[in-house]
Amino acid sequence: MKTDIIKLLIREASKARMNAYAPYSGYLVGAAVIVPSGNIFTGCNVENASYGLSNCAERTAIFKAVSEGQRHIDGIAVIGGPIEAVTDMAYPCGACRQVIAEFSNEDTIVIVAKSEEEYEVYNISELLPHIFQLDK
Ligand code: THU
């Protein structure tokens, strides 16, 4: 994936992060997914007073894309941190890795970002070895 697209995804994820509803953790996460058409779907974490009902940014973005008819993601960028500033990489949680895997292949990239200048790129097998998958 070209660097300018990676930076665009990070920018979109950062914007989505500002919509995070995270009054309990104070930890704001944004994600942006790009699909083969080039369309981008964004998401943020959405928490709940019943904590376990909270949804992560990655899954919000992916579920938005899938609910709009998408079935494959070419890339996903994630950026997260406390409300004041992003100071560290926010790696996708295990549940989100499994959901990313559902709609990925070996060419899909997972971008974990601190900023448009500081980011890491992975494929899903690096983040989730021995993926659980069923034949479709
Ligand atoms: N969170 C995400 O949005 N994505 C992740 O991959 C890890 C965690 C959210 C969930 C919760 O709202 C907050 O970050 C603190 O865990």
Side-chain angles (χ1 to χ4, degrees), residues 38-67:
N39 283 350
I40 293 173
F41 297 84
T42 61
C44 61
N45 52 331
V46 182
E47 298 185 346
N48 194 276
S50 177
Y51 296 167
L53 300 183
S54 302
N55 204 58
C56 292
E58 299 92 316
R59 279 177 287 152
T60 303
I62 292 170
F63 293 160
K64 277 172 68 180
V66 173
S67 65

Side-chain angles (χ1 to χ4, degrees), residues 2-3 11 18 21 28 31 55 83 88 102 111 118 122:
K2 292 203 175 104
T3 307
R11 194 151 62 243
M18 299 323 294
Y21 176 74
L28 279 55
N55 204 58
I83 193 156
D88 285 307
E102 184 73 25
I111 305 148
E118 264 188 290
Y122 298 95

Side-chain angles (χ1 to χ4, degrees), residues 58-129:
E58 299 92 316
R59 279 177 287 152
T60 303
I62 292 170
F63 293 160
K64 277 172 68 180
V66 173
S67 65
E68 297 288 329
Q70 304 301 318
R71 292 292 183 269
H72 180 75
I73 62 177
D74 286 342
I76 178 167
V78 188
I79 185 161
I83 193 156
E84 311 81 52
V86 173
T87 51
D88 285 307
M89 303 290 176
Y91 296 93
C93 78
C96 288
R97 293 179 195 207
Q98 181 68 32
V99 172
I100 292 166
E102 184 73 25
F103 302 102
S104 295
N105 63 17
E106 58 284 357
D107 297 322
T108 300
I109 63 167
V110 180
I111 305 148
V112 184
K114 243 197 261 191
S115 69
E116 279 180 56
E117 283 68 48
E118 264 188 290
Y119 59 85
E120 299 168 359
V121 176
Y122 298 95
N123 61 48
I124 191 62
S125 322
E126 291 175 286
L127 298 179
L128 188 67

